[in-house]
Amino acid sequence: MGKVATPLILVNFKAYKEACGERAVALAKVCEKVTEDFGVEIAVAPQFFDLVKVREAVSIPVFSQHIDPVPKAGAFTGHVVAENLSELGIDGTVLNHSERKLSEEGVKKCIGIANSCGLVTVACADTPEEAERIAKFSPDFVAIEPPELIGTGVSVSRAKPEVVTRAVEKVKSVNESVRVLCGAGISSGEDVEKALELGAEGVLVASAVVKAEEPQKVLEEFAASAKKLRG
Ligand code: G3P
């Protein structure tokens, strides 16, 4: 458990069948191998019920896809509790994904709770303006992800580069220490390179990796680009 390096490639398994159960463990092991081969940080965000077995299977950072704004373990039926994730060795959590939105007050509470439990926070924002507001809550990362591009294979870094640069500018104007990831449609090494050139310190990806015929090849392309830009 602890901080993650940049550039970061965070693979969101979402609720895809291709990354469920033993397939989640297999994909996490592919991510671990590419991390080892390229020396680039790759983290995974499996579905809740796969978190422990993935944690036990790999040494790379493992993230939850969400936490609920409840302060401690206890009588919170059906909730995802940061304190318990931390005890299980989970490294961090995605928050406020466009497919699992929170209120801004909820985002603020969850960032505070996650920070208190030592969980790395990747708080998602649909727009640069939302990114600016969320940066005020001091997450580790803000991930800018225009929902309309998610799952399209048309990357935000190519189709809407100004969204990435504006998000970086706004986040850094609030808190220089908050790092920016970008996601939505990231599908090639060029998309990763462009994202880093625009000021992001990593990418949040899903379908290009999880639904690929050969996830390892896609990840190797992403990692090679991230390594080239890192120097
Ligand atoms: O969390 C990242 C995800 O929303 C991006 O989806 O399929 O466009 O890589 P995708």
Side-chain angles (χ1 to χ4, degrees):
M1 190 175 66
K3 297 301 174 193
V4 293
T6 54
L8 171 64
I9 300 170
L10 176 51
V11 184
N12 180 0
F13 290 10
K14 297 197 175 182
Y16 287 123
K17 282 188 72 66
E18 295 88 340
C20 184
E22 286 313 311
R23 294 185 295 274
V25 173
L27 180 55
K29 286 181 175 177
V30 167
C31 294
E32 183 178 57
K33 176 171 175 19
V34 176
T35 289
E36 290 164 355
D37 293 349
F38 286 79
V40 171
E41 187 86 298
I42 300 175
V44 292
Q47 300 177 73
F48 299 127
F49 42 73
D50 288 327
L51 279 168
V52 171
K53 69 165 82 76
V54 169
R55 173 68 298 158
E56 290 168 350
V58 297
S59 58
I60 58 175
V62 178
F63 278 61
S64 180
Q65 295 180 14
H66 166 78
I67 61 169
D68 288 293
V70 293
K72 306 287 286 175
F76 300 105
T77 303
H79 289 70
V80 181
V81 180
E83 185 180 16
N84 294 340
L85 291 173
S86 181
E87 186 174 320
L88 292 169
I90 303 304
D91 297 278
T93 188
V94 176
L95 287 169
N96 195 47
H97 190 281
S98 59
E99 297 156 2
R100 187 65 174 83
K101 290 298 274 189
L102 290 163
S103 67
E104 286 200 7
E105 183 58 26
V107 174
K108 181 179 181 180
K109 281 183 181 173
C110 285
I111 290 171
I113 292 165
N115 286 342
S116 69
C117 295
L119 293 179
V120 175
T121 49
V122 175
C124 297
D126 296 356
T127 65
E129 291 69 27
E130 185 182 15
E132 182 177 26
R133 295 195 298 273
I134 288 174
K136 293 172 184 163
F137 307 147
S138 301
D140 294 287
F141 296 88
V142 172
I144 181 72
E145 279 208 328
E148 68 277 10
L149 291 176
I150 291 175
T152 65
V154 176
S155 74
V156 60
S157 52
R158 271 186 292 126
K160 295 191 172 184
E162 72 286 352
V163 168
V164 181
T165 50
R166 278 178 47 231
V168 172
E169 285 163 9
K170 287 180 177 294
V171 167
K172 294 300 186 182
S173 71
V174 169
N175 186 336
E176 188 64 39
S177 66
V178 176
R179 293 169 287 180
V180 175
L181 303 179
C182 80
I186 301 287
S187 308
S188 69
E190 291 78 15
D191 295 340
V192 174
E193 278 185 48
K194 185 71 176 169
L196 300 179
E197 286 167 357
L198 293 168
E201 296 189 63
V203 292
L204 188 48
V205 301
S207 54
V209 173
V210 176
K211 297 171 77 74
E213 282 295 315
E214 296 183 85
Q216 182 167 335
K217 280 182 71 175
V218 176
L219 275 169
E220 288 173 346
E221 186 181 332
F222 287 6
S225 293
K227 188 173 183 177
K228 187 168 79 171
L229 265 287
R230 181 187 63 194

